[in-house]
Amino acid sequence: MILVVLCAGGHASVVIEALLSTGTRPEFATDQSPSLVGKWIQGIPIKGPDAAVLEMPVETTELVNAMGNRATRSDSGLSRRRDLFYRFDRLGFRFPVIAHRSAIIASTVQPGDGCQVMAGAIIQPRAQIGRNVLINTRAVVEHDCQVGDHSHIAPGAVLCGGVFVGESVHVGAGAIVLGGVRLGSGAVVAAGATVTRDIEGGCFSGRQDGIE
C-alpha cells in the first residue's frame, strides 16, 4: 500500500513524524505551491500539486490529510481541510487513522476514517471520534465525549467527560471544556479559554487575546 501526504506545510511535518514513530514512511507529499515541488519535508519528497494523486491507483493508495487550519472569531478555518478530505474520499481513496506511538487511545474507541491523534494525546473510554478529526499534541478527550467530523482539538486542550463537539469545531490550544457542555457545529473556542456553558453553532467563546 502506498501512502501519500496531502499538503506539505507545518502540520504535515507533525503528521509525518507521527507516521515515522510507528515505522510507517510515506511515499511522497503533495502541495499546491510550485515553490515546494522538488523539495523535501521530514525526509519525504514533495511531488507536484494534489492532482498528482489522481494518477495513483485507488485500490493501492492511502492518503493523509495534512491541511492545517487557522481559526478566527467568526470561522473555525476548517473548511479547506474538510473539502480536501471529501474531494478524494468521493473518488474512493481511503484515509487511514494515524496515531503517534506515544498517543493513548482507549480500547473501546474506534476513531473515524482519517482521524489523527498526535504525540501525547489521550482519548478515554467510550469517546466517539468522527472522520477527519485532529486530536493534536497532548490534547485530552475524556470519557463519553463525542467529537464531530472535521473538528480540531488543538494542542493541550481538554474536553472533560461527556462533552459534545459538533462538526468543524475548533477548540483552541490549552482550552478547557467542562463536562457535559455542547459545542455546536462551526463553533470556535479561544486558546486558554474555560468553557462552562453550551456554545451555539458558529459562535465564538473565550479570551480576547487570541484564538489559536
Side-chain angles (χ1 to χ4, degrees):
M1 189 68 70
I2 298 172
L3 191 62
V4 177
V5 176
L6 302 176
C7 300
H11 181 56
S13 63
V14 179
V15 172
I16 292 171
E17 184 64 26
L19 289 166
L20 294 175
S21 78
T22 63
T24 303
R25 186 178 183 84
E27 188 76 14
F28 64 89
T30 66
D31 200 272
Q32 299 298 95
S33 174
S35 65
L36 292 179
V37 176
K39 296 184 178 180
W40 298 72
I41 178 169
Q42 296 289 95
I44 306 301
I46 303 172
K47 294 185 178 181
D50 297 339
V53 176
L54 301 179
E55 303 173 2
M56 308 295 292
V58 173
E59 298 80 8
T60 57
T61 304
E62 293 183 331
L63 303 181
V64 177
N65 187 356
M67 174 74 73
N69 77 298
R70 184 171 292 276
T72 67
R73 290 176 62 91
S74 59
D75 185 1
S76 67
L78 289 160
S79 60
R80 292 177 63 201
R81 179 176 169 83
R82 176 197 64 208
D83 293 348
L84 184 62
F85 177 86
Y86 278 142
R87 176 187 177 189
F88 290 100
D89 178 67
R90 292 188 182 108
L91 294 174
F93 286 96
R94 180 174 176 271
F95 289 80
V97 174
I98 296 169
H100 191 280
R101 183 177 61 181
S102 66
I104 299 173
I105 303 175
S107 60
T108 56
V109 175
Q110 295 184 327
D113 295 343
C115 177
Q116 299 169 2
V117 188
M118 299 294 95
I122 300 173
I123 304 178
Q124 296 286 24
R126 298 188 303 277
Q128 299 177 39
I129 310 297
R131 307 178 80 201
N132 195 39
V133 168
L134 172 55
I135 309 297
N136 222 320
T137 309
R138 296 184 66 188
V140 176
V141 178
E142 272 295 345
H143 64 88
D144 301 295
C145 287
Q146 297 180 51
V147 181
D149 296 349
H150 318 298
S151 290
H152 178 195
I153 313 303
V158 176
L159 305 182
C160 296
V163 168
F164 174 86
V165 177
E167 293 189 8
S168 299
V169 172
H170 177 87
V171 179
I176 299 174
V177 183
L178 298 188
V181 166
R182 299 178 64 88
L183 307 178
S185 295
V188 176
V189 175
T194 298
V195 182
T196 62
R197 59 178 178 81
D198 294 354
I199 305 299
E200 294 183 3
C203 292
F204 171 85
S205 176
R207 291 163 42 177
Q208 300 298 312
D209 59 347
I211 47 75
E212 292 297 327

Short mmCIF file of all heavy atoms in Angstrom, two decimals, residues 20-48:
data_model
loop_
_atom_site.label_atom_id
_atom_site.label_comp_id
_atom_site.label_asym_id
_atom_site.label_seq_id
_atom_site.Cartn_x
_atom_site.Cartn_y
_atom_site.Cartn_z
N LEU A 20 6.28 8.17 11.15
CA LEU A 20 7.61 7.60 11.32
C LEU A 20 7.77 6.94 12.69
O LEU A 20 8.49 5.96 12.84
CB LEU A 20 8.68 8.69 11.13
CG LEU A 20 8.78 9.28 9.72
CD1 LEU A 20 9.80 10.43 9.71
CD2 LEU A 20 9.16 8.22 8.69
N SER A 21 7.06 7.47 13.70
CA SER A 21 7.16 6.91 15.04
C SER A 21 6.63 5.49 15.10
O SER A 21 6.98 4.72 16.01
CB SER A 21 6.41 7.79 16.06
OG SER A 21 5.01 7.58 16.00
N THR A 22 5.79 5.13 14.15
CA THR A 22 5.22 3.78 14.11
C THR A 22 5.87 2.93 13.02
O THR A 22 5.39 1.83 12.71
CB THR A 22 3.71 3.84 13.88
OG1 THR A 22 3.45 4.43 12.59
CG2 THR A 22 3.02 4.66 14.95
N GLY A 23 6.94 3.44 12.42
CA GLY A 23 7.64 2.69 11.39
C GLY A 23 7.02 2.79 10.01
O GLY A 23 7.36 2.01 9.12
N THR A 24 6.12 3.76 9.82
CA THR A 24 5.45 3.95 8.53
C THR A 24 6.06 5.14 7.81
O THR A 24 6.15 6.23 8.39
CB THR A 24 3.95 4.19 8.72
OG1 THR A 24 3.39 3.09 9.44
CG2 THR A 24 3.24 4.33 7.38
N ARG A 25 6.46 4.96 6.58
CA ARG A 25 7.10 6.03 5.81
C ARG A 25 6.27 6.34 4.56
O ARG A 25 6.08 5.48 3.70
CB ARG A 25 8.52 5.63 5.40
CG ARG A 25 9.30 6.73 4.72
CD ARG A 25 10.72 6.29 4.39
NE ARG A 25 11.48 7.37 3.81
CZ ARG A 25 12.10 8.30 4.52
NH1 ARG A 25 12.06 8.27 5.83
NH2 ARG A 25 12.76 9.27 3.91
N PRO A 26 5.77 7.58 4.44
CA PRO A 26 5.02 7.95 3.23
C PRO A 26 5.89 7.89 1.98
O PRO A 26 7.11 8.09 2.05
CB PRO A 26 4.57 9.39 3.52
CG PRO A 26 4.71 9.56 4.99
CD PRO A 26 5.84 8.68 5.41
N GLU A 27 5.26 7.64 0.85
CA GLU A 27 5.98 7.60 -0.42
C GLU A 27 6.40 9.00 -0.86
O GLU A 27 7.52 9.23 -1.28
CB GLU A 27 5.10 6.96 -1.49
CG GLU A 27 5.79 6.67 -2.80
CD GLU A 27 6.70 5.45 -2.73
OE1 GLU A 27 6.58 4.69 -1.75
OE2 GLU A 27 7.50 5.28 -3.64
N PHE A 28 5.44 9.94 -0.78
CA PHE A 28 5.74 11.33 -1.13
C PHE A 28 4.63 12.23 -0.58
O PHE A 28 3.59 11.75 -0.12
CB PHE A 28 5.90 11.52 -2.65
CG PHE A 28 4.66 11.23 -3.46
CD1 PHE A 28 3.72 12.22 -3.73
CD2 PHE A 28 4.45 9.97 -4.00
CE1 PHE A 28 2.60 11.96 -4.50
CE2 PHE A 28 3.32 9.69 -4.77
CZ PHE A 28 2.41 10.69 -5.02
N ALA A 29 4.87 13.54 -0.65
CA ALA A 29 3.88 14.54 -0.25
C ALA A 29 3.53 15.39 -1.46
O ALA A 29 4.31 15.48 -2.42
CB ALA A 29 4.42 15.41 0.88
N THR A 30 2.36 16.00 -1.44
CA THR A 30 1.96 16.93 -2.49
C THR A 30 1.79 18.32 -1.89
O THR A 30 1.64 18.48 -0.67
CB THR A 30 0.63 16.52 -3.15
OG1 THR A 30 -0.43 16.63 -2.17
CG2 THR A 30 0.68 15.08 -3.64
N ASP A 31 1.80 19.33 -2.74
CA ASP A 31 1.49 20.69 -2.28
C ASP A 31 1.13 21.54 -3.49
O ASP A 31 1.67 21.35 -4.59
CB ASP A 31 2.68 21.31 -1.54
CG ASP A 31 2.23 22.47 -0.66
OD1 ASP A 31 2.18 23.61 -1.14
OD2 ASP A 31 1.90 22.22 0.53
N GLN A 32 0.21 22.47 -3.27
CA GLN A 32 -0.25 23.34 -4.34
C GLN A 32 0.76 24.43 -4.69
O GLN A 32 0.61 25.11 -5.71
CB GLN A 32 -1.59 23.97 -3.98
CG GLN A 32 -2.72 22.98 -3.74
CD GLN A 32 -3.04 22.16 -4.98
OE1 GLN A 32 -2.54 21.05 -5.15
NE2 GLN A 32 -3.85 22.73 -5.88
N SER A 33 1.76 24.65 -3.85
CA SER A 33 2.76 25.70 -4.08
C SER A 33 3.86 25.19 -5.00
O SER A 33 4.61 24.28 -4.63
CB SER A 33 3.36 26.16 -2.76
OG SER A 33 4.41 27.09 -2.99
N PRO A 34 4.02 25.78 -6.19
CA PRO A 34 5.08 25.34 -7.11
C PRO A 34 6.48 25.45 -6.51
O PRO A 34 7.38 24.69 -6.87
CB PRO A 34 4.92 26.28 -8.31
CG PRO A 34 3.50 26.75 -8.24
CD PRO A 34 3.19 26.85 -6.78
N SER A 35 6.66 26.39 -5.58
CA SER A 35 7.99 26.60 -5.00
C SER A 35 8.45 25.43 -4.13
O SER A 35 9.64 25.30 -3.83
CB SER A 35 8.01 27.89 -4.17
OG SER A 35 7.14 27.78 -3.05
N LEU A 36 7.51 24.58 -3.71
CA LEU A 36 7.86 23.45 -2.85
C LEU A 36 8.16 22.17 -3.64
O LEU A 36 8.74 21.24 -3.10
CB LEU A 36 6.74 23.18 -1.85
CG LEU A 36 6.51 24.25 -0.78
CD1 LEU A 36 5.35 23.85 0.12
CD2 LEU A 36 7.76 24.48 0.04
N VAL A 37 7.74 22.15 -4.89
CA VAL A 37 7.95 20.95 -5.71
C VAL A 37 9.44 20.68 -5.88
O VAL A 37 10.22 21.57 -6.19
CB VAL A 37 7.27 21.10 -7.08
CG1 VAL A 37 7.58 19.89 -7.96
CG2 VAL A 37 5.77 21.27 -6.92
N GLY A 38 9.82 19.45 -5.62
CA GLY A 38 11.23 19.07 -5.72
C GLY A 38 11.98 19.19 -4.41
O GLY A 38 13.13 18.76 -4.33
N LYS A 39 11.34 19.76 -3.40
CA LYS A 39 11.96 19.87 -2.09
C LYS A 39 11.55 18.68 -1.22
O LYS A 39 10.87 17.76 -1.66
CB LYS A 39 11.60 21.20 -1.44
CG LYS A 39 12.13 22.41 -2.21
CD LYS A 39 11.84 23.72 -1.50
CE LYS A 39 12.43 24.89 -2.27
NZ LYS A 39 12.16 26.19 -1.61
N TRP A 40 11.98 18.70 0.03
CA TRP A 40 11.74 17.58 0.94
C TRP A 40 11.14 18.08 2.24
O TRP A 40 11.37 19.22 2.65
CB TRP A 40 13.05 16.84 1.24
CG TRP A 40 13.69 16.24 0.03
CD1 TRP A 40 14.31 16.92 -0.99
CD2 TRP A 40 13.74 14.86 -0.30
NE1 TRP A 40 14.76 16.04 -1.94
CE2 TRP A 40 14.43 14.77 -1.54
CE3 TRP A 40 13.30 13.70 0.31
CZ2 TRP A 40 14.67 13.55 -2.17
CZ3 TRP A 40 13.55 12.48 -0.30
CH2 TRP A 40 14.22 12.42 -1.52
N ILE A 41 10.33 17.24 2.89
CA ILE A 41 9.80 17.55 4.21
C ILE A 41 9.95 16.31 5.08
O ILE A 41 9.46 15.24 4.73
CB ILE A 41 8.32 18.01 4.13
CG1 ILE A 41 7.77 18.28 5.53
CG2 ILE A 41 7.45 17.01 3.38
CD1 ILE A 41 6.41 18.98 5.53
N GLN A 42 10.68 16.44 6.18
CA GLN A 42 10.94 15.31 7.07
C GLN A 42 11.50 14.10 6.30
O GLN A 42 11.16 12.95 6.61
CB GLN A 42 9.67 14.89 7.80
CG GLN A 42 9.09 15.94 8.75
CD GLN A 42 9.93 16.13 10.00
OE1 GLN A 42 10.76 17.03 10.05
NE2 GLN A 42 9.72 15.30 10.99
N GLY A 43 12.32 14.39 5.29
CA GLY A 43 12.91 13.31 4.51
C GLY A 43 12.00 12.72 3.45
O GLY A 43 12.37 11.73 2.81
N ILE A 44 10.84 13.34 3.23
CA ILE A 44 9.87 12.85 2.25
C ILE A 44 9.84 13.81 1.06
O ILE A 44 9.70 15.03 1.25
CB ILE A 44 8.46 12.75 2.86
CG1 ILE A 44 8.49 11.91 4.15
CG2 ILE A 44 7.46 12.19 1.85
CD1 ILE A 44 8.98 10.51 3.97
N PRO A 45 9.96 13.33 -0.18
CA PRO A 45 9.95 14.23 -1.34
C PRO A 45 8.58 14.85 -1.59
O PRO A 45 7.54 14.22 -1.33
CB PRO A 45 10.35 13.31 -2.49
CG PRO A 45 9.94 11.94 -2.06
CD PRO A 45 10.12 11.92 -0.56
N ILE A 46 8.58 16.08 -2.08
CA ILE A 46 7.34 16.78 -2.43
C ILE A 46 7.21 16.74 -3.95
O ILE A 46 8.06 17.27 -4.66
CB ILE A 46 7.35 18.23 -1.92
CG1 ILE A 46 7.58 18.26 -0.41
CG2 ILE A 46 6.06 18.94 -2.30
CD1 ILE A 46 7.79 19.65 0.16
N LYS A 47 6.14 16.12 -4.42
CA LYS A 47 5.95 15.92 -5.86
C LYS A 47 4.66 16.58 -6.34
O LYS A 47 3.59 16.00 -6.24
CB LYS A 47 5.89 14.42 -6.18
CG LYS A 47 7.18 13.67 -5.93
CD LYS A 47 7.04 12.22 -6.39
CE LYS A 47 8.32 11.44 -6.19
NZ LYS A 47 8.19 10.03 -6.65
N GLY A 48 4.78 17.77 -6.84
CA GLY A 48 3.67 18.39 -7.55
C GLY A 48 2.44 18.69 -6.72
O GLY A 48 2.41 18.49 -5.51
#
